[in-house]
Amino acid sequence: MAIDGLILLDNTGRPIIQSGFRSSQPSYPLLHVDAFNNALAKESRPSDVDPILYVPSLTHGSPSACCHIPCGDMRVLCPVSGDVDPLFAFAFLQTFVDILKEYFGTVSAATMRENFDVVYQLLEETLDAGGRPLTTSPNALRDIVLPPSLLTKLLSVAGANVNTSFNTGTGGPFSSPTPWRKANVRHNANEIYFDMVEELNAIVNKNGVALSSTVWGKIETNCRLSGNPDCLLSFTNPQALTDCSFHPGVKIRIQRWTRDKSLSFVPPDGRFTLAEYRFTPAASAPTARFASSGSEVVNPSKDTVPIPFVIKTVYDLEDNGAQFDITFTSRLTTRALENIVIEMNVGRGAGGIKCVATRGTGIGRNVGMDMGMTNNMGASWAFDTNKKASVLIQLLGSVCSGTYSPISSH
């Protein structure tokens, strides 16, 4: 499978930089830019645009498709043609965005323009002329395309051979036997950190009963080890990790995971994602059946994860406005929930809003946009006056079993 190239657009829909598109007509990338801009003009919000757009051919050739994802204040387009799985294009898009974040930190249209030469080199190195991903490991790319800095910019202006100057003594690009790790890495303190970040996605009925709830997690790693280390990571309860996706360093030793559920790998230098997984609760764990008296009883699946809180809403629609009541209650009794943010879409017809929060605890602070605080510290609200589509309610500090009831009219 192959993709045709990449196009970076600013927030006005104008191209900032794009791949060479050597195997297509000069008008080919412009067709996809126009297709995206036309689709964006028809929608009220950018998020409403279909992620895959049909692009007809100007000639009698075969049509193509335009896959796109947001990136800061930009949009990254990936034209594809022929028998190409769109998931392949989206995977490469996300990988390229991660590379940009690794190089520049904050990715924006201004950053791309200021570092035009570096971005173009990354486009050339990550995707070959045939449309196949080439080098996507940040550690390997740093040996070919140096990250932007004041020194490298000065040397480039002076006409110095930057790569040769900096790679002397490290063996040059691709000198390491491990593609995702640099050669001759040295650190004063040898250390490695693992952070398990999990996200709960759930569908809840009107009675607060979870119809479906799934926890997706990933193991974020920060490696500062010298030389060529060989690591072994084991888990107390590996049966809880299912549908796993691993870093290439683990994939080449997947037999170890299959045999004894341990991760054996040579880590890259710096930050990387070691694995992604889905959490499966144990058979003896309590289910998420928190139905109140008189409510409908729902039998959740065995993989349903208990939700640690409940949100209930009551609407009262009127001719010239509406009122709603949102109640947030924690189900945890042994520890507190912290820094809760509730976002509610009220529609583009909302012209203003007024909220009252009750029974809050902790220290409150304001957030941006049209906002307000109540006398009860620990809760604040904000209305997006530009989009006029959502209300943000912040519950700051520790929340153990508190209930918050913002009331709004517009």
Side-chain angles (χ1 to χ4, degrees), residues 86-262:
L87 292 179
F88 177 70
F90 283 115
F92 179 74
L93 279 171
Q94 189 59 55
T95 299
F96 187 76
V97 170
D98 293 340
I99 292 173
L100 293 180
K101 292 179 180 179
E102 183 77 18
Y103 265 73
F104 307 106
T106 302
V107 181
S108 63
T111 304
M112 298 299 100
R113 291 189 176 97
E114 292 174 359
N115 302 278
F116 183 89
D117 54 339
V118 177
V119 178
Y120 193 81
Q121 290 181 68
L122 291 175
L123 286 173
E124 292 295 306
E125 295 296 339
T126 55
L127 198 66
D128 64 9
R132 295 174 178 81
L134 190 60
T135 304
T136 57
S137 174
N139 280 275
L141 282 172
R142 288 194 191 97
D143 288 338
I144 311 169
V145 183
L146 291 179
S149 65
L150 180 59
L151 179 58
T152 56
K153 289 181 179 180
L154 290 175
L155 292 176
S156 298
V157 173
N161 190 338
V162 180
N163 286 340
T164 302
S165 301
F166 279 84
N167 288 328
T168 302
T170 62
F174 306 111
S175 60
S176 173
T178 308
W180 53 84
R181 184 173 180 83
K182 286 184 177 181
N184 303 321
V185 176
R186 292 291 181 269
H187 292 285
N188 293 331
N190 287 316
E191 52 192 11
I192 184 170
Y193 298 95
F194 299 95
D195 293 323
M196 300 188 72
V197 182
E198 297 182 339
E199 178 180 347
L200 171 65
N201 298 321
I203 300 176
V204 182
N205 67 5
K206 62 180 181 180
N207 298 316
V209 180
L211 305 179
S212 173
S213 60
T214 307
V215 173
W216 294 96
K218 54 185 177 180
I219 304 176
E220 298 287 353
T221 309
N222 187 6
C223 178
R224 290 291 181 266
L225 299 175
S226 302
N228 195 42
D230 199 323
C231 301
L232 179 64
L233 179 64
S234 59
F235 300 92
T236 304
N237 185 22
Q239 291 76 18
L241 309 181
T242 58
D243 297 336
C244 298
S245 173
F246 298 111
H247 184 272
V250 179
K251 290 181 180 179
I252 62 175
R253 302 179 181 178
I254 196 64
Q255 295 83 2
R256 187 64 181 265
W257 170 259
T258 305
R259 185 175 67 251
D260 55 13
K261 299 300 180 180
S262 298

Side-chain angles (χ1 to χ4, degrees), residues 8-9 18 27 60 68 86 92 163 165 179 208 252 257 278 281 284 325 379 394:
L8 274 66
L9 302 182
Q18 67 183 36
S27 61
H60 297 288
H68 60 90
F92 179 74
N163 286 340
S165 301
I252 62 175
W257 170 259
R278 179 174 63 89
S284 59
D325 183 275
Q394 277 196 330

